Every structure is written in C-alpha cells, then in structure tokens.
Amino acid sequence: MLKQVVIVGAGLIGTSFALALKRQHPSIIIRAIDSSEESVAQAASRGAIDSGCTYEQAGAADLVLFAIPVRQIGAALAALVRHLAAHTVVIDAGSTKQDVIAAARLNLGHRFAQFVACHPIAGRERHGPLAADATLFDGKNVVLCRSPDNSSTAVETARFAWQAVGANIIEMTATTHDAVFASVSHLPHMLAFALVDELAARPNAKLLFEHAASGFRDFTRIASSSPEMWRDVALNNREALLTELDAYLLRVAALRNMLQAGDGEAIHDLMQRAQSAREHWLSGQFDQFNQEDGL
C-alpha cells in the first residue's frame, strides 16, 4: 500500500515510526521534513529516513505523518495542501484531537477527507531522533478518530501504517479522546512538571535533589519530556485539563484535611483504594474493581 512516506517532525515519534516501518518494509522510501537540519541528519544516520524533502515533494507521497507539537500542525498543513495529491493520506500523532481535526478542516479545505486523526499511546521522556526506537509502538494502542468525511481507503491506509509499525488500533470520538487523556496523560505530566519546578525553586533545592531517590525519580520521570510539546497539549486541551486539575485539587485538599485531623483510618482507606485500583489496572482486571464513592 505504501511506496513513499514523509515524516513531518524528525523527533522521537516520527523517527521511531520511520525506523519501525523500515524494519517491516525496507523498500519503502521515507523522507522527512524538520525545521532542524541536524534532526534530519540524525534520523538519516539512524537509517530511519532516506533523505530530507520539501512540502512540494511531500505532496506526492502515499502517506504523510505529522509528528510535531499540536499547535504547529495547522501551519504545516497549510504549507502542504497546495501540493497535496488526491491519493495522499495524511495522519498525525498529536496528543489532542478536537483541535487538530479543526485545524485540518480549516487548512486542508476540500482535501480534509484525506486527513485521519490519530494518537499513538506510546512515548518516553527523552525526545529527539537519537532517542527513537523501532520497537516503540510494538503492542501499543493507537487511537484513531474517524471523521464522517473520511473515505474507507484513507482509514484503511492509516490503520495499515500503524499496524505496520507494530501497533493495535482502537477507535473513539475526538471528544471522548480528549476527555480520557486529559485525566490519564495530560494531568500526570502537568503534576510532574509542577512538582519538579516547585522543589527546584526552593532555597535548599540542591539538598533536596541530592537526597531524591527512586520514588521521586519514578513520579517525575515524565518531567523530562518536551516542554514545547506539552505546553501545546495543555493549551489545546485546556478545558478538559482544567476539569481534571480541579478534581485532583479537591482530592488533595481532602487528603490534607485528613492529615491535619490526624485521621489515620481515612488516610489508610484512601491509600488502600488507590493501591487496589492500581493493582487491578496492572493486572488487566479493572472491570472487577468497585471504587467507593468519593471521600
């Protein structure tokens, strides 16, 4: 199905996608567009891409993947659309979907039906082409947000591409996607960034970080993620993220009240529920877990 592919954004996701595609289909010609010539050169040195290219050249590819911060996608689509062939399928890897779909509709115009919104649930805290991994998507889910405008060919091409790099496909609406990932992805990133920033601003920050161990490292691992990417995610999914932050603040405030009151039983109950929920999630049996209502 694919002979030529273009990656817009030769970072962790784009380069990993290219490496994985080359692993399964070495004959596919893969090119990249990136504002950094160094990133393109590094992706080429990894064997992920055959060369860099322009948007004019990208327009003739079978597939174009946008793996750039979500607030950059609109302008990039506008640069591509004037060159876009009728057979080319365009997908993205953005962590928010309603905004990206709106940007695609605005900037692609009559070519919007060729755009299939996607989100691979895969990544790591390091970024850039040198952090890329051909196995990054193996066994991971990719959310596909089908548009009523999409042709079956466009959707099947998107599915084929992600399955070719080792991923599983699940479908949901863009609204559901943004609400779900505000809670289980966007919120944890914001909390990790905020905690590290708060501790780093203290006068005794050096002492604190010298004694931070595995618990702190595990909790804050994702604070090493790309600030540019996560700033855009936060702003573009602002309403859903504000809802999640408010809910989290209520739970933290309740925990603070328990601690202030010295209510060990209530603290233990909260921790017990959380531990049980996490264990059920890790074992794939969360549907058997019955969470008590509130605090």
Side-chain angles (χ1 to χ4, degrees):
M1 293 178 67
L2 302 176
K3 295 181 180 179
Q4 296 187 55
V5 171
V6 171
I7 309 299
V8 181
L12 169 68
I13 297 298
T15 305
S16 295
F17 182 92
L19 283 171
L21 202 55
K22 282 284 191 183
R23 177 185 61 176
Q24 295 297 324
H25 302 277
S27 64
I28 294 178
I29 301 300
I30 305 179
R31 299 186 174 92
I33 297 172
D34 197 285
S35 58
S36 166
E37 292 183 5
E38 181 181 13
S39 291
V40 173
Q42 288 175 344
S45 72
R46 298 284 313 275
I49 64 171
D50 295 282
S51 67
C53 72
T54 64
Y55 281 108
E56 184 175 3
Q57 294 169 315
D62 300 306
L63 180 78
V64 179
L65 166 66
F66 284 88
I68 54 179
V70 289
R71 287 205 157 195
Q72 297 177 18
I73 291 177
L77 288 170
L80 174 68
V81 67
R82 71 196 71 167
H83 309 294
L84 195 58
H87 76 279
T88 305
V89 174
V90 182
I91 62 176
D92 78 303
S95 295
T96 56
K97 293 275 71 81
Q98 293 178 88
D99 57 306
V100 171
I101 290 171
R105 189 180 294 278
L106 175 66
N107 289 284
L108 292 181
H110 70 286
R111 297 291 193 194
F112 172 70
Q114 297 170 228
F115 176 80
V116 183
C118 304
H119 176 203
I121 314 305
R124 55 184 48 161
E125 67 274 18
R126 299 300 175 188
H127 47 96
L130 297 182
D133 183 350
T135 67
L136 186 67
F137 306 107
D138 285 356
K140 302 295 174 52
N141 289 332
V142 170
V143 178
L144 189 153
C145 298
R146 182 194 298 259
S147 165
D149 299 289
N150 287 145
S151 68
S152 59
T153 299
V155 172
E156 287 310 307
T157 299
R159 293 177 68 90
F160 171 83
W162 287 113
Q163 288 170 343
V165 300
N168 305 312
I169 307 298
I170 59 174
E171 293 197 33
M172 64 176 67
T173 68
T175 302
T176 299
H177 170 280
D178 288 355
V180 167
F181 288 96
S183 62
V184 298
S185 176
H186 308 167
L187 176 64
H189 278 81
M190 298 305 111
L191 299 180
F193 282 123
L195 177 59
V196 175
D197 184 59
E198 195 278 322
L199 295 182
R202 295 186 188 184
N204 64 339
K206 182 175 182 295
L207 177 66
L208 296 176
F209 283 98
E210 284 176 345
H211 293 280
S214 58
F216 181 79
R217 182 169 54 250
D218 291 346
F219 185 84
T220 63
R221 175 184 60 83
I222 51 179
S224 292
S225 301
S226 167
E228 181 182 28
M229 170 188 164
W230 284 101
R231 173 204 62 200
D232 286 6
V233 168
L235 291 173
N236 281 27
N237 203 23
R238 180 175 56 188
E239 294 306 317
L241 184 52
L242 285 171
T243 297
E244 296 302 328
L245 278 168
D246 287 344
Y248 186 78
L249 287 172
L250 287 174
R251 187 54 56 108
V252 170
L255 179 58
R256 186 186 188 284
N257 290 338
M258 296 173 196
L259 188 61
Q260 187 172 40
D263 191 343
E265 183 177 355
I267 294 172
H268 177 270
D269 287 347
L270 182 151
M271 293 178 176
Q272 184 68 58
R273 292 196 304 272
Q275 181 195 53
S276 180
R278 190 172 191 275
E279 291 302 316
H280 277 79
W281 165 60
L282 290 175
S283 66
Q285 298 178 333
F286 195 81
D287 57 341
Q288 299 177 18
F289 176 74
N290 294 316
Q291 175 69 287
E292 292 180 17
D293 293 332
L295 285 178

